[in-house]
Amino acid sequence: MMRASAPGKAILFGEHAVVYGQPALAIPLTQVQATAAIQPGGNEFWIEAPDVRRRYTLAEAAPDDALAAAVRLTCARAGEAAPPPAVLSLASRIPIASGLGSGAAACTAVVRATAQLLGCPLDDSDVSAIVFETEKMLHGTPSGIDNTVVAFGLPVYFVRGQPPVPLRAALSFQLLIGDTGVASPTKAAVADVRAAWQKDPQRYQKIFQAVGDLAREARNIIEGRGNRPAAFLGELMNRNHALLRELDVSSPELENLVTAARAAGALGAKLSGAGRGGSMLALVTPASEAAVRKALEQAGAQRVMGTTITP
Ligand code: PMV
């Protein structure tokens, strides 16, 4: 039996603007994982995803099926026309369409397990490149940040088309991630931002630039440079959220959670990922964590996860 896992991810700064060449910061979320297990045998290659009640053969997969594409692209990379007969089972603890990278994690796990099945060693950048192809099927015009942070499993400072730069924290930062429970396909939000940008490129370019400036400043604070206190990261999150609102990717549910987190003492809060639903994050301290968690739950969060960025 071959088995491989990949983490979820959260974008700290720079979503959407990253599609237009601005930097973004993201971290893996190791407490939620997608796992692919492959049992060789039988006479066909089956793909099972019991969480979403799906079972089909590779031969009958739809042309835009990302899991099947992950298998086929890995075969091509290994110089094989097709995989040997087997059953591939995918299990994921990452909520779907919630801005936490479920698609990239599922495909990363499938690529790694398939590579094991074929006896073809792949490094993280090979895996990331294959998953980027599947992201195009899922997202339309992805920046590549999801496949990068998930395949490398490291906090990153990411610029589209450039090798990822590890984000090296100088201090610990404690975050809470609240899921609105509203499924929001990334593809639709990204396409809407693109349409708006095409109508008014000057205005949108300014917003993207301002988001990029925040991501650069946030990187300096996280990495311990500059003269701003660590808590200023919260203020930067609030400013990034305001710009995401200008991009029209917030939603009433996200606003509820962001407002509740701030009122309960978070140093800052913003939506995370494509928006319109999905998740938000709040910067907290050991002293405010419990109150912010409770406030998020009371404001309707379907799930609240904690994570820490550590040196
Ligand atoms: O997959 P999500 O929902 O975390 O969104 C990805 C981030 C975007 O910047 C909105 C799109 C992209 O490809 O970078």
Side-chain angles (χ1 to χ4, degrees):
M1 170 86 90
M2 328 305 141
R3 190 183 284 277
S5 296
K9 69 99 226 293
I11 297 183
L12 304 181
F13 287 91
E15 48 275 271
H16 288 289
V18 68
V19 175
Y20 300 84
Q22 296 296 330
L25 311 182
I27 55 168
L29 289 177
T30 46
Q31 63 270 66
V32 283
Q33 302 259 344
T35 302
I38 302 184
Q39 180 70 58
N43 31 15
E44 295 227 51
F45 192 94
W46 284 92
I47 299 175
E48 291 180 351
D51 299 340
V52 287
R53 293 165 200 250
R54 297 197 57 203
R55 186 167 196 272
Y56 50 100
T57 65
L58 184 61
E60 73 196 9
D64 63 349
D65 186 290
L67 300 180
V71 173
R72 290 205 181 96
L73 289 163
T74 309
C75 288
R77 179 69 175 66
E80 301 282 346
V87 178
L88 182 161
S89 311
L90 183 74
S92 180
R93 303 285 312 277
I94 309 169
I96 293 173
S98 63
L100 300 180
S102 64
C107 290
T108 298
V110 167
V111 169
R112 290 211 172 109
T114 306
Q116 282 178 40
L117 175 72
L118 301 173
C120 169
L122 295 180
D123 64 21
D124 292 342
S125 75
D126 295 328
V127 174
S128 180
I130 295 175
V131 177
F132 183 56
E133 295 304 312
T134 65
E135 287 282 290
K136 287 183 191 163
M137 301 172 79
L138 294 168
H139 290 186
T141 55
S143 63
I145 192 167
D146 282 19
N147 49 286
T148 300
V149 68
V150 168
F152 285 83
L154 286 173
V156 293
Y157 172 85
F158 177 85
V159 178
R160 183 175 191 166
Q162 296 181 13
V165 178
L167 183 66
R168 299 186 198 283
L171 296 167
S172 289
F173 294 90
Q174 202 177 343
L175 298 164
L176 287 178
I177 297 162
D179 182 355
T180 59
V182 177
S184 165
T186 300
K187 199 170 188 168
V190 170
D192 288 354
V193 171
R194 181 167 295 275
W197 167 70
Q198 279 163 344
K199 267 197 198 143
D200 191 349
Q202 270 189 338
R203 170 165 180 250
Y204 279 78
Q205 216 50 54
K206 262 195 205 148
I207 300 175
F208 297 147
Q209 178 69 43
V211 172
D213 290 344
L214 293 176
R216 278 179 281 265
E217 202 175 345
R219 179 192 185 193
N220 284 338
I221 293 180
I222 293 171
E223 296 193 333
R225 288 187 299 272
N227 44 17
R228 295 286 197 180
F232 194 67
L233 196 65
E235 171 60 24
L236 296 181
M237 286 169 66
N238 291 341
R239 291 183 193 173
N240 194 163
H241 184 72
L243 292 167
L244 287 160
R245 284 177 54 147
E246 283 194 49
L247 294 178
D248 195 24
V249 292
S250 192
S251 72
E253 295 83 2
L254 283 165
E255 290 303 312
N256 261 344
L257 298 190
V258 164
T259 308
R262 290 176 187 158
L267 296 168
K270 65 181 279 292
L271 73 84
S272 176
R276 297 273 167 82
S279 300
M280 52 71 71
L281 41 97
L283 182 67
V284 296
T285 60
S288 66
E289 197 240 336
V292 175
R293 181 183 284 273
K294 192 165 163 214
L296 287 171
E297 282 163 0
Q298 283 173 350
Q302 299 300 300
R303 201 172 297 100
V304 181
M305 251 188 287
T307 191
T308 309
I309 312 171
T310 48

